Amino acid sequence: MINSPPRRWFQHFEAHLLSTWEGRSPGARAVEIGCGTGYGTKLILDQFGAATVHAVDLDPKMIARAERRLRRYAGRAFLSQGSATDLRVTLEQFGGGKDASYEAAFDFAIIHHIPNWRDAVAEIARVLKQGGKFFFDEVTATALARPSFQLLFDHPTEDRFTAGEFLAELPRHGLEVGERWRTLVGGDYLFGVAIRQ
Ligand SMILES: C[S@@+](CC[C@H](N)C(=O)[O-])C[C@H]1O[C@@H](n2cnc3c(N)ncnc32)[C@H](O)[C@@H]1O
């Protein structure tokens, strides 16, 4: 499902929505967690205008597919297998993952996959510079509780977050979201941009 044309179409829509609040990030040094097959990485470079992206995914097969997709972005897209909960280890081979080292961070529908999801939020806050932007689109506990979702997808079942719980977690890590967020489909999906204070 996640590697299908409908997902690509929806991801275009997500990128468009996210760019309506804080616009593009021209010239940014960006980090992307859970890059999957690298379609979002391409959007971050082409649509958001980032100079470089350090992208990570836990699944080596996804990284292999992303490497194929992003071949023509050599020198701008850097891919690494590892966890979003420890970017220092995952990105050190590129000199990345350091405190306050990125102007933008992207989460295209991945944090709800992480059992200790708060650690991923903390890690994003750690690596963002002051004023850096955290672009997120997430699937909430409301969606994950639906039988259709449970039939089609495999997700952790404990401690998933509602839109309100995710938004409440951000300021605990110095990420200020203000009015730059919205939900879709009765709270199933959450989109927003938080700024690192
Ligand atoms: C729903 S897919 C989203 C992929 C892509 N961002 C997209 O929007 O199409 C979630 C991705 O997160 C990855 N993932 C799950 N847990 C992770 C973790 N702890 N760190 C990094 N990636 C993770 C999975 O391997 C998968 O590629």
Side-chain angles (χ1 to χ4, degrees):
M1 287 291 260
I2 221 61
N3 300 325
S4 65
R7 171 66 196 137
R8 301 286 78 92
W9 178 87
F10 197 60
Q11 200 165 7
H12 255 288
F13 166 74
E14 290 165 3
H16 171 73
L17 198 59
L18 292 175
S19 63
T20 58
W21 285 293
E22 281 298 319
R24 299 167 68 249
S25 293
R29 195 166 182 230
V31 62
E32 181 191 12
I33 59 170
C35 62
T37 63
Y39 195 76
T41 320
K42 194 168 140 16
L43 291 176
I44 295 164
L45 292 166
D46 290 344
Q47 202 160 315
F48 287 86
T52 58
V53 183
H54 286 177
V56 308
D57 200 284
L58 201 55
D59 183 346
K61 289 195 202 103
M62 291 289 193
I63 290 294
R65 293 179 73 149
E67 274 166 355
R68 287 198 291 277
R69 184 192 295 284
L70 296 164
R71 223 170 256 148
R72 74 182 176 91
Y73 295 87
R76 294 183 69 203
F78 300 87
L79 299 158
S80 181
Q81 187 270 326
S83 179
T85 54
D86 194 348
L87 295 172
R88 205 185 298 270
V89 166
T90 307
L91 291 170
E92 68 181 349
Q93 60 179 308
F94 308 127
K98 298 184 177 131
D99 290 1
S101 52
Y102 299 97
E103 285 97 31
F106 289 82
D107 153 28
F108 286 113
I110 172 224
I111 290 182
H112 65 284
H113 280 274
I114 303 182
N116 46 340
W117 62 272
R118 293 175 188 82
D119 291 352
V121 176
E123 197 55 354
I124 283 164
R126 182 184 68 75
V127 299
L128 271 180
K129 290 181 180 171
Q130 191 176 17
K133 303 169 188 176
F134 171 34
F135 296 87
F136 57 89
D137 83 67
E138 270 308 328
V139 182
T140 70
T142 318
L144 299 179
R146 296 192 194 281
S148 53
F149 248 83
Q150 292 179 356
L151 192 69
L152 286 170
F153 302 106
D154 195 17
H155 289 103
T157 50
E158 301 296 313
D159 189 28
R160 297 305 83 196
F161 48 80
T162 61
E165 285 164 348
F166 189 84
L167 293 170
E169 186 66 16
L170 299 178
R172 294 185 187 122
H173 304 277
L175 295 163
E176 201 269 322
V177 70
E179 301 297 310
R180 295 175 300 271
W181 64 273
R182 68 181 282 194
T183 57
L184 289 180
V185 197
D188 281 13
Y189 302 97
L190 171 67
F191 297 81
V193 185
I195 309 295
R196 181 72 168 100
Q197 302 304 295

